[in-house]
Every structure is written in C-alpha cells, then in structure tokens.
Amino acid sequence: MRRVRAERRLAGGMDGHVFLSYCRDDRDYVDKLAAYLGESGVPVWFDDHQSPGEQWLNALRRRIEEAEAVVVVMTPAAEQSDWVQIEIQQARDAGRP
C-alpha cells in the first residue's frame, strides 16, 4: 500500500528528491529506507558519500534547498545529534516540509 501512495505522489508532480536527515548511529536503517524509497520510485539523497568539510556543508545546504521534502529519521541518537538539528533548522529556513 505504501508503494502505491509513493507512486501517486510522484505522478502528481514530484520532480525533486527527498532529503534524509539521520544520525550515523542509524545508518543501517537509513540504507534500508533509502533502498525502499528508491525502489518505490522516490528519489532520495543522503550524505552517504560525503566527507566533512566546507564542501560537505555547502552540499547539505544545497540538497536541502532543492529537496521536495525532508524526512528526519528521528531516533534518540538523532535527537541528540547537533547535525540533525542543524539540518532540521536549514529545512525550516528553506520552507521544506
């Protein structure tokens, strides 16, 4: 059922990607979520190949601004993560759902 809803949304005009915000402790789950969404036709972006630095920060900011939506994988670890909080604030600043 979830797969059908994702396909309908895309058919309804979703041109961009979904940005996944998460804590590194939750990486195994995020890999599975990204695979599921991708198989369902939902393009996703998360920092799977980025290394920290100024270019990384610029890439994160740009990807959040370009995203159709931001999905926060909120776990106890993510709630404590400064980076997740920064990404949430950037999403709010960019007006992303």
Side-chain angles (χ1 to χ4, degrees), residues 19-38 44-48 71-75 78:
F19 181 97
L20 299 179
S21 177
Y22 69 100
C23 179
R24 295 256 180 232
D25 294 349
D26 304 315
R27 180 59 190 265
D28 289 341
Y29 175 79
V30 170
D31 285 338
K32 292 173 188 172
L33 176 61
Y36 174 79
L37 291 172
V44 298
W45 190 91
F46 64 107
D47 62 343
D48 59 340
V71 172
V72 179
V73 178
M74 187 55 75
T75 63

Side-chain angles (χ1 to χ4, degrees), residues 1-16 18 33 35-44:
M1 183 179 266
R2 288 183 185 166
R3 179 179 229 152
V4 172
R5 279 191 235 159
E7 289 169 358
R8 279 192 203 143
R9 253 192 312 261
L10 285 174
M14 183 175 169
D15 296 324
V18 171
L33 176 61
Y36 174 79
L37 291 172
E39 290 167 6
S40 298
V42 178
V44 298

Side-chain angles (χ1 to χ4, degrees), residues 19 60-67 70 87 90-91 96:
F19 181 97
L60 285 176
R61 188 175 298 113
R62 186 177 64 253
R63 292 300 188 157
I64 289 170
E65 290 172 357
E66 295 170 349
V70 174
E87 291 169 359
Q90 288 179 344
R96 294 300 173 254

